[in-house]
Amino acid sequence: MEEKKLDVKSLVGFGLIALILIWMIYNQTEQEESKNSEKDKQEHIDKITDETIPEEGTTSLTEVDSTVSDSVNAENLKSSLGAFAYSASLPSAKGGVTELENELLDLKIANKGGYISSATLKNFEQFRKGSNQRVELIKDNNADFNLQFQTKDNRILNTRDLYFEPEFTKEGENQVLTMRLKAGAQQYLEYRYVLKPKDYMLDFSIRTQGLSKVVNTSKPMDLEWQLKAYRNEKSVTYENRYTDMVYEYEDGKDDDLGQGSTEAEKAEDVTYIAYKQHFFASILLTDTPFKTADLTSENLVKDEEIDTVFTKNFTAKVPLEFKGGELSYNMNWYYGPSDYEILYNYDRNLDEIMPLGWGIFGWINRFIFIPLFGALSSFLPYGIAIILFTILVRLVMSPVTYKSYLSQAKMKVIRPEINELNEKYKKDPMKKQQETMKLYNKAGVSPMAGCLPALMQIPVFYALFQFFPSYFDLRQKSFLWATDLSSYDSIIHLPFYIPFYGNHVSIFPILASVAIFFYMKMTTGDQSMAQPQQEGMPDMSKIMKVMIYISPLMMLIFFNNYASGLSLYYFISNLITIGIMFVIKNYIVKEEKVHAMVQQNKEKPKKQNKFQKKMQEMMEQAQEQQERQQKKNK
């Protein structure tokens, strides 16, 4: 009986202990759940307030204590953002990105700020061979797109700090992303992106709805666009030289900011702003011209051995005007190659961002060189296409070369007679000039005939100088030892840097310099013999002898960092010119033939044209006046 009582007490004790344990476990679980709930609230608040501290003069989000209620949090957000606290309460305030992608572009648009946070060109690689690193025009916060505006209650807000609500749809094959910064269910600022298949150009619009009671519409919204241009090519110096800001204004005019350390300009009625890198471009276009635009360009390459990541920092600030209390701008974004054909086909004057030269130089490139080289490279390797292109250009210019050499040969034949006149009338410069002109006319020789052909070649020379660095298709195309015809062909990298020359040795500039040396060696003697020594003037023959050595050296230094395609052109061009000059000199324009030609011209009666007749009369009048003055003095 006693054992039974003990058993009952034991059971009661064990039951009490079990109840106590159950109560303790339950209480601990409740505490953990409470802690987790508070932690979740804090994380949500942190995401809303993350990185929302704006620059001086702007309104920031108020810090929120994790212990306060949701109603207090809402009040704190409202005190910081006013009506736009609504956007901070939406799920999109947690951050994130939306991706738009076609065959050419991969774009990411961030909820925070609503702008393009990443732009990758899928079909192009950076200069690092074998890295498979695609060209990224925007990455790692190197770009910023912001609208700054004032609210009715005098807050200054920046869209870069606020969260947009994304909505992705499709219109046929087009991808459409609508980003809305909301002040209420039907009150918002909207960015609308439309990406089409196989296109580098996006449709982009900015508009507002129902914000006239929230935003101060008496002042424009300030659009701010900034980009630090990443280096994408082998030579940062060469790439930086062709990296520039170009803009169109006043119904089709275009201009650029230049290559200074820091450039700034203010333009009016701007229709596009292009941040042009050497072979790529980021362009903002607008159907409604920006009334004004403050543009700046800062050169970031202070030391080309150290500053090798970025080339330039571009910024643009333009006002967006309200009309009827609302904002409405239809725009476009272009992220793609600086390819003449692609830009030209958009029919928006975007090809003007290409540095093809002004006036006649640009016309030669646009209407002759680009179509011709495009046709050749469509069925030939690029290196062979350059060689054939060079041959065709030199053959077309060969008549000019012939006329130039023929004029020099004629001047060489009559030079003894000119020397006699110089000696005979050395005390009477006016008479000497008259007799020299008579000799030129009688022999059928014009001293300008040798200069004009040379001047005619200058537009071609300059056009080619602009063509090769700008022609996109040469980028990363190889020929012989050159791995990239749009950049230098280095075969030796030096362990030190030589001022003006660089830290590498390029072969094509060396070959071109050697060819120039032999060409000048071949022609300088004839040129010095053809040009008579003028009294009081320096001896051109001595100057030309010095230039034989200076010109090749200057080309070697200057072209060492230039496109190997350009150096290849000049090498082949000089070889062809040497061949043409050899044929002309030895088989076409022989000295005895030229001498007979001059003597035959002397025997023919000569008629002076109006210009020659007028010049003759002026010289005779001057001679008579001089003689009268001499008699008077006596």
Side-chain angles (χ1 to χ4, degrees):
M1 191 72 177
E2 183 68 19
E3 290 178 1
K4 189 176 180 180
K5 287 182 180 180
L6 290 172
D7 290 339
V8 172
K9 289 179 180 179
S10 297
L11 290 172
V12 172
F14 286 131
L16 290 172
I17 292 171
L19 288 173
I20 292 171
L21 290 173
I22 291 170
W23 178 82
M24 292 175 65
I25 292 171
Y26 176 79
N27 187 53
Q28 184 176 0
T29 302
E30 278 198 324
Q31 290 178 353
E32 288 294 327
E33 288 178 352
S34 177
K35 289 180 180 179
N36 290 335
S37 176
E38 292 298 328
K39 182 179 180 182
D40 291 341
K41 288 181 181 178
Q42 180 62 41
E43 289 178 351
H44 178 68
I45 293 169
D46 288 344
K47 287 183 179 179
I48 293 176
T49 59
D50 182 37
E51 298 180 4
T52 54
I53 301 175
E55 297 176 357
E56 185 178 351
T58 63
T59 302
S60 63
L61 294 176
T62 305
E63 298 251 347
V64 182
D65 193 317
S66 61
T67 62
V68 300
S69 65
D70 289 340
S71 61
V72 175
N73 293 344
E75 286 299 320
N76 288 335
L77 289 173
K78 190 172 182 180
S79 67
S80 300
L81 303 177
F84 287 96
Y86 183 88
S87 66
S89 66
L90 299 174
S92 57
K94 295 180 180 180
V97 297
T98 304
E99 187 172 8
L100 299 180
E101 184 177 10
N102 63 12
E103 297 83 352
L104 307 175
L105 285 174
D106 186 358
L107 305 173
K108 292 181 175 62
I109 294 88
N111 288 353
K112 187 175 182 181
Y115 59 86
I116 298 172
S117 59
S118 174
T120 303
L121 304 183
K122 299 170 69 173
N123 298 329
F124 305 105
E125 295 181 5
Q126 289 186 355
F127 67 95
R128 296 177 181 86
K129 193 70 174 176
S131 66
N132 294 323
Q133 179 66 45
R134 300 299 173 188
V135 171
E136 296 173 290
L137 299 182
I138 300 177
K139 67 172 183 177
D140 300 336
N141 300 315
N142 72 309
D144 182 38
F145 185 83
N146 178 60
L147 293 185
Q148 186 178 89
F149 58 94
Q150 186 178 28
T151 63
K152 290 284 189 179
D153 49 3
N154 293 323
R155 291 182 175 85
I156 303 297
L157 299 180
N158 292 284
T159 57
R160 70 162 70 93
D161 301 324
L162 304 175
Y163 288 91
F164 287 66
E165 185 178 50
E167 181 183 350
F168 178 82
T169 58
K170 279 198 169 185
E171 295 178 355
E173 294 184 342
N174 298 341
Q175 302 172 49
V176 181
L177 177 62
T178 302
M179 307 289 291
R180 288 177 176 173
L181 172 62
K182 292 187 172 183
Q186 299 300 321
Q187 296 174 300
Y188 51 80
L189 166 68
E190 178 184 275
Y191 295 163
R192 189 173 188 267
Y193 300 89
V194 180
L195 180 62
K196 304 169 186 176
K198 299 179 181 179
D199 201 344
Y200 293 106
M201 185 85 75
L202 296 88
D203 293 340
F204 176 63
S205 63
I206 300 176
R207 73 181 188 95
T208 61
Q209 178 174 303
L211 292 184
S212 58
K213 295 182 179 180
V214 178
V215 175
N216 184 356
T217 58
S218 64
K219 294 183 177 181
M221 281 193 179
D222 288 329
L223 184 156
E224 300 167 344
W225 178 33
Q226 177 263 336
L227 175 73
K228 287 176 69 176
Y230 273 108
R231 169 194 179 187
N232 287 302
E233 311 306 326
K234 182 163 64 173
S235 172
V236 65
T237 305
Y238 192 55
E239 180 178 4
N240 196 38
R241 186 180 295 125
Y242 290 95
T243 298
D244 197 2
M245 183 191 293
V246 184
Y247 59 95
E248 184 186 60
Y249 66 105
E250 295 179 2
D251 296 327
K253 298 178 184 178
D254 60 271
D255 203 350
D256 63 275
L257 262 62
Q259 297 294 321
S261 177
T262 301
E263 300 284 352
E265 289 187 14
K266 190 179 185 71
E268 296 181 354
D269 297 326
V270 175
T271 45
Y272 72 67
I273 301 169
Y275 296 165
K276 181 194 173 296
Q277 297 168 240
H278 187 184
F279 285 122
F280 300 97
S282 306
I283 309 174
L284 176 62
L285 306 95
T286 177
D287 293 345
T288 304
F290 301 135
K291 189 174 181 180
T292 60
D294 293 310
L295 310 172
T296 61
S297 172
E298 179 188 3
N299 185 7
L300 300 179
V301 184
K302 310 299 182 184
D303 187 335
E304 59 190 27
E305 295 184 78
I306 300 173
D307 304 321
T308 59
V309 178
F310 299 101
T311 52
K312 287 188 172 67
N313 184 35
F314 300 119
T315 58
K317 184 176 180 179
V318 300
L320 302 183
E321 304 284 344
F322 286 92
K323 293 182 180 179
E326 299 291 355
L327 203 65
S328 181
Y329 278 80
N330 292 321
M331 304 182 189
N332 296 94
W333 284 111
Y334 176 86
Y335 291 103
S338 298
D339 185 304
Y340 176 81
E341 294 293 341
I342 293 174
L343 296 172
Y344 177 80
N345 288 333
Y346 282 112
D347 197 24
R348 302 282 295 271
N349 293 330
L350 297 182
D351 54 291
E352 295 295 337
I353 75 170
M354 304 296 297
L356 297 176
W358 52 271
I360 189 174
F361 312 116
W363 298 339
I364 292 172
N365 276 325
R366 285 180 170 85
F367 302 120
I368 300 176
F369 290 160
I370 290 177
L372 175 60
F373 191 82
L376 294 175
S377 59
S378 65
F379 65 91
L380 291 173
Y382 283 92
I384 303 300
I386 291 176
I387 293 174
L388 183 55
F389 175 81
T390 309
I391 293 172
L392 292 175
V393 171
R394 293 313 304 166
L395 287 177
V396 170
M397 298 300 295
S398 59
V400 176
T401 305
Y402 168 76
K403 289 183 178 180
S404 178
Y405 184 78
L406 180 61
S407 176
Q408 292 177 15
K410 288 180 179 180
M411 291 291 293
K412 183 179 178 181
V413 167
I414 66 171
R415 183 171 183 179
E417 296 179 64
I418 293 176
N419 290 337
E420 289 179 8
L421 293 175
N422 289 340
E423 183 65 27
K424 184 177 181 181
Y425 299 106
K426 62 182 179 180
K427 295 183 179 180
D428 190 349
M430 188 64 68
K431 186 66 174 176
K432 180 179 68 174
Q433 190 70 19
Q434 285 180 333
E435 294 302 320
T436 301
M437 292 297 295
K438 287 180 182 178
L439 176 61
Y440 284 155
N441 185 53
K442 187 176 180 181
V445 176
S446 172
M448 295 299 295
C451 300
L452 290 176
L455 292 175
M456 290 175 62
Q457 296 185 64
I458 291 178
V460 175
F461 178 88
Y462 184 77
L464 288 166
F465 186 78
Q466 295 293 103
F467 169 76
F468 280 102
S470 302
Y471 196 70
F472 182 84
D473 287 357
L474 293 178
R475 184 178 186 269
Q476 296 184 350
K477 299 300 189 300
S478 61
F479 179 66
L480 298 177
W481 55 82
T483 58
D484 187 348
L485 287 169
S486 71
S487 188
Y488 58 80
D489 58 307
S490 59
I491 61 165
I492 299 176
H493 282 275
L494 304 174
F496 49 85
Y497 183 85
I498 301 175
F500 305 108
Y501 183 75
N503 60 352
H504 62 272
V505 177
S506 299
I507 292 297
F508 280 132
I510 294 176
L511 295 176
S513 299
V514 171
I516 283 181
F517 173 79
F518 283 105
Y519 167 71
M520 295 189 70
K521 195 77 172 175
M522 174 186 287
T523 59
T524 297
D526 294 331
Q527 290 174 355
S528 60
M529 289 290 292
Q531 297 296 329
Q533 174 67 31
Q534 299 293 327
E535 187 177 350
M537 297 296 290
D539 191 346
M540 292 304 296
S541 62
K542 293 181 180 180
I543 295 176
M544 293 300 294
K545 288 178 181 179
V546 174
M547 291 302 295
I548 291 176
Y549 302 96
I550 293 179
S551 295
L553 181 61
M554 290 177 63
M555 181 167 186
L556 176 63
I557 294 173
F558 188 75
F559 282 90
N560 192 61
N561 289 291
Y562 259 71
S564 54
L566 182 62
S567 300
L568 172 61
Y569 169 84
Y570 284 126
F571 169 56
I572 300 299
S573 177
N574 285 312
L575 284 183
I576 295 171
T577 305
I578 289 172
I580 291 174
M581 291 296 294
F582 179 81
V583 172
I584 292 174
K585 186 175 182 179
N586 293 279
Y587 297 99
I588 299 177
V589 185
K590 291 185 177 181
E591 187 171 337
E592 56 271 19
K593 290 183 179 181
V594 176
H595 189 274
M597 187 186 303
V598 170
Q599 296 304 320
Q600 189 177 1
N601 287 335
K602 288 181 179 180
E603 296 173 0
K604 293 179 181 180
K606 297 294 179 182
K607 291 184 179 180
Q608 292 181 325
N609 57 39
K610 291 182 179 180
F611 176 75
Q612 290 175 329
K613 190 175 181 180
K614 188 67 176 177
M615 287 294 295
Q616 183 70 23
E617 291 175 356
M618 290 175 62
M619 292 177 67
E620 288 175 355
Q621 290 175 3
Q623 179 68 21
E624 291 176 1
Q625 185 176 2
Q626 184 180 13
E627 289 175 355
R628 286 196 299 268
Q629 185 66 34
Q630 288 176 350
K631 289 179 180 179
K632 185 178 180 180
N633 293 337
K634 289 181 180 179

